Amino acid sequence: MIRSLLLRAGLLLVGTLVALLATAAPAAAHGADAPNGSDYRVGVTGLAPARDGVDVRTVEAGARLELRNRTDRTVTVLGYSGEPYLQVRPDGVYENTRSPATYLNRTLAGETAVPADADPTAEPSWQRVDDEPVARWHDQRALWREAGPPPQVGAAPDREHRVRDWVVPLRDGETAVELRGTLDWVPPPDPYPWWAAVALATLAVGALGLVPAGAPAGRRALVALGALLAVGGLAAVAVAVGRALDSGAEGAGGLLVTLLTGQTWALITGLGAVAAGSWTLTRHAAADFGLALAGACLALFAGVTNAAVLARSVPPLPWPVQPVRLVVTLILVAGAGATLAGVFRLHAASRAVAETTTRRPVDVAHLRPERAR
């Protein structure tokens, strides 16, 4: 009965995933090379003059600008030489293949080679790149791309500084519009206290694996480890969702597609940790191996990959930075601590098996002297 219900639930889940992926495919059309954190905060102050139905915001920790056109007009983004670069029309987004900005803006570093036929003075050649009227692009006018910091930051790196006010020219139909924003330096935190906390807490959690497994205290320790691993897995899923939202994902379908295409490993390891933690709570005989394996995956694929937030002031999530650091710290501790405890328990179990094997009872009957006849 239970197996049948689980099978039906699994089939329903798979069907739902397939349906959502099929209906939300256009949402995955926006490529991204989102940073894991930044010390520069990019802000959008608005459009001048204001335009109804045109919304702009930053995504991916400020690495991209997002323009959404909810009107029946065409909004054009101008490139670095004033040429038409992007058009956000009611039926989708179009790129001018003759604009150098089309190639320079494809990556955050701007290292894409500009082809010889890219000429800002040439007649635009439009290519449709998305079916939705939403454009996301890296814009060098809103970013700090120099190797060294700005002069004012170099003089006082421990203070917040306004690096510059930036402007991206647009056209709404035939009306000239300015997209205005700010670029600020935000001093990064000292990462060493965070890493010290991770190390100490990991050792404390790992020490639970030294408690004898057969004792009541050992069984309670296993339950605590399973609960912590499950909580760490839920935290990893939350971080993956937050990063997907910060990349511009909207709606259930768009969120799911972004999770499965951009946050795949963090999502899988988070769910795996929840499953392994729940399995451990049942005190299953093989729980120690699952504890160690799921913990290692959680620490590596959801913890280490997001650990940059411990040393950066602007995280790639739409939440306050301090809670984000606490959540990432929890993921690292839960994963690494569970791995350490699981290894200790596996080692203790293997030693117990070896000792049992070497202590087999010896048949001494043949050593007794025979009675004299």
Side-chain angles (χ1 to χ4, degrees), residues 340-365:
L340 191 59
V343 170
F344 285 155
R345 291 177 63 91
L346 287 170
H347 180 66
S350 65
R351 286 186 60 182
V353 171
E355 291 176 359
T356 301
T357 303
T358 57
R359 292 178 181 176
R360 288 178 179 174
V362 179
D363 185 5
V364 296

Side-chain angles (χ1 to χ4, degrees), residues 2-48:
I2 295 178
R3 288 185 178 181
S4 177
L5 290 175
L6 290 175
L7 179 60
R8 292 179 183 179
L11 292 175
L12 178 61
L13 178 61
V14 171
T16 303
L17 291 175
V18 172
L20 286 173
L21 287 171
T23 57
H30 304 288
D33 54 338
N36 290 321
S38 175
D39 296 325
Y40 293 92
R41 183 176 59 220
V42 181
V44 172
T45 56
L47 297 172

Side-chain angles (χ1 to χ4, degrees), residues 133-269:
V134 183
R136 299 184 182 97
W137 75 98
H138 300 296
D139 200 300
Q140 298 177 11
R141 291 163 287 204
L143 302 172
W144 181 259
R145 299 184 60 254
E146 304 297 328
Q152 63 270 41
V153 173
D158 57 341
R159 293 173 49 195
E160 187 169 327
H161 297 277
R162 172 62 49 82
V163 176
R164 65 167 174 261
D165 297 315
W166 52 264
V167 173
V168 174
L170 311 174
R171 284 204 305 263
D172 184 357
E174 298 300 323
T175 303
V177 181
E178 289 186 344
L179 167 57
R180 297 175 179 175
T182 57
L183 178 65
D184 295 311
W185 162 265
V186 182
D190 183 358
Y192 296 108
W194 290 98
W195 282 111
V198 169
L200 292 175
T202 296
L203 292 175
V205 173
L208 294 176
L210 298 174
V211 182
R219 290 190 288 272
R220 290 194 296 269
L222 183 62
V223 170
L225 288 168
L228 178 62
L229 183 62
V231 171
L234 291 174
V237 173
V239 169
V241 170
R243 294 200 64 161
L245 293 173
D246 189 65
S247 70
E250 291 187 347
L255 177 61
L256 180 61
V257 170
T258 305
L259 285 172
L260 295 179
T261 56
Q263 298 294 321
T264 309
W265 288 110
L267 178 65
I268 290 175
T269 54

